[in-house]
Amino acid sequence: MVLLHLPRTHISLCTHFSLFSKPKTPTFNIATTLHPILTCKLFSAPKSTLSASEPIPISQFPGNHIETPQEFETPIEIHPEFETHIEIPLEKLFVPPETEVKYTDTGALSTRILKGSNILLSKYARDAQVNQAEFVKSSVRTEDCPSDGLPEFALVGRSNVGKSSLLNSLVRRKKLALTSKKPGKTQCINHFRINDSWYLVDLPGYGYAAAPQELRTDWVKFTKDYFLNRSTLVSVFLLIDASIPAKKIDLEYASWLGQNQIPMTLIFTKCDKRKKKRHGGKKAEENVQDFQELISGFFETVPPWIMTSSLTNQGRDEMLLHMAQLRNYWLKH
């Protein structure tokens, strides 16, 4: 468990359901040196190196222990060389709704943080394990999506960001969402029902230049319509490739979600990849920090984020726990 020394005052519990953008849209230059732009402070304290917490097996939480079905993949052990460490300013921690911030007798924060993220663990993190997953339907219009009222989480990202691989990793199935070497293959709103109680939604990737202009326009139109009009959407999980520097199209997408007050979690993919410094590349954690600094001016509060890898399954349990606490809060309210 990571203990963070924080002052007991100046705490503002921001919720996932109020990630409003600022009225003005700041300009950014990816090529320039990046500096933090803090728009909302949760805490006032020096930086602390977090990892961001010890791993938290899902089976440790109520209602999360099941036997893994044989059809599911065997969990992969994470090799130490793939462990990611990142400095998180304490004011950039994400506090879920109704989360009690607890301290030890010495004044240190004892509330647990999901590993490889900025997310505090809440009392709603239960029933997170996936024991059943099935494809339900593909839709090209929001009104054609399932109408059973179950909560859902939408995965969206630039083409070739690893969306289908991540979805398969979440449910421990190799072929639930078919992966393709050709970007832009997903062209519909695809619903996958989990445990007969909620949905994972696979949305078309954006930014695939080889797709016909008319088709790209249709994807953008019905995807944005889905975001704006889908009443059962709990959160959008925006996938960002952490193995490369920030892309303008990703920054614009995050900005649009913020401007339209759509709940969003940043999911950084491919965090197992290592670029050699001598070749001008950056580590995944450096690209993660850079991206957050670039979008900080778009939001009044800090969006939650998680580092992942479909290869090592890093971040899988953390994503499921985060989904569980958002989902259970949504169902209660």
Side-chain angles (χ1 to χ4, degrees), residues 17-254:
F17 302 92
S18 61
L19 295 180
F20 301 149
S21 66
K22 300 183 71 176
K24 63 179 181 179
T25 302
T27 58
F28 48 81
N29 186 345
I30 299 175
T32 61
T33 302
L34 303 174
H35 300 283
I37 307 173
L38 302 181
T39 61
C40 173
K41 290 191 177 182
L42 297 182
F43 308 103
S44 296
K47 288 188 177 182
S48 174
T49 301
L50 312 177
S51 67
S53 173
E54 295 177 0
I56 306 176
I58 288 181
S59 59
Q60 289 185 10
F61 295 89
N64 290 330
H65 178 70
I66 64 165
E67 296 296 328
T68 303
Q70 291 184 352
E71 64 174 316
F72 282 24
E73 292 183 75
T74 301
I76 300 174
E77 293 293 331
I78 299 178
H79 193 276
E81 71 175 290
F82 291 139
E83 289 285 357
T84 53
H85 300 271
I86 188 168
E87 284 191 350
I88 305 176
L90 301 184
E91 69 270 11
K92 293 187 178 182
L93 290 176
F94 172 75
V95 184
E98 296 184 14
T99 299
E100 182 181 0
V101 181
K102 297 181 179 180
Y103 298 89
T104 66
D105 292 339
T106 60
L109 179 70
S110 62
T111 305
R112 299 189 76 170
I113 303 172
L114 294 179
K115 184 180 180 182
S117 80
N118 70 333
I119 302 168
L120 295 185
L121 193 68
S122 81
K123 64 182 179 181
Y124 290 101
R126 60 181 183 272
D127 301 320
Q129 188 61 277
V130 173
N131 53 26
Q132 183 182 1
E134 60 177 335
F135 171 74
V136 176
K137 67 178 299 187
S138 294
S139 309
V140 293
R141 299 185 306 169
T142 304
E143 52 265 40
D144 295 331
C145 293
S147 57
D148 50 17
L150 296 179
E152 57 195 48
F153 297 87
L155 304 182
V156 68
R158 190 168 47 82
S159 295
N160 206 31
V161 75
K163 181 161 48 68
S164 296
S165 296
L166 180 63
L167 194 155
N168 290 334
S169 174
L170 284 172
V171 300
R172 297 187 180 183
R173 294 271 290 278
K174 292 181 178 179
K175 296 182 180 180
L176 182 67
L178 295 179
T179 58
S180 173
K181 293 183 178 179
K182 182 179 180 181
K185 196 68 175 178
T186 303
Q187 299 179 14
C188 300
I189 304 172
N190 298 312
H191 276 76
F192 300 88
R193 187 163 52 229
I194 310 299
N195 300 343
D196 283 328
S197 61
W198 58 283
Y199 288 105
L200 278 173
V201 184
D202 186 12
L203 295 175
Y206 56 84
Y208 180 48
Q213 179 61 42
E214 182 179 351
L215 187 58
R216 277 185 283 162
T217 302
D218 287 344
W219 290 352
V220 171
K221 183 178 179 180
F222 78 67
T223 298
K224 288 187 175 181
D225 179 75
Y226 167 84
F227 290 149
L228 295 171
N229 298 303
R230 186 64 172 167
S231 61
T232 53
L233 177 62
V234 178
S235 180
V236 174
F237 280 50
L238 178 60
L239 277 56
I240 306 296
D241 187 344
S243 69
I244 60 176
K247 294 286 187 180
K248 182 179 179 181
I249 191 171
D250 291 329
L251 297 167
E252 291 174 343
Y253 216 98

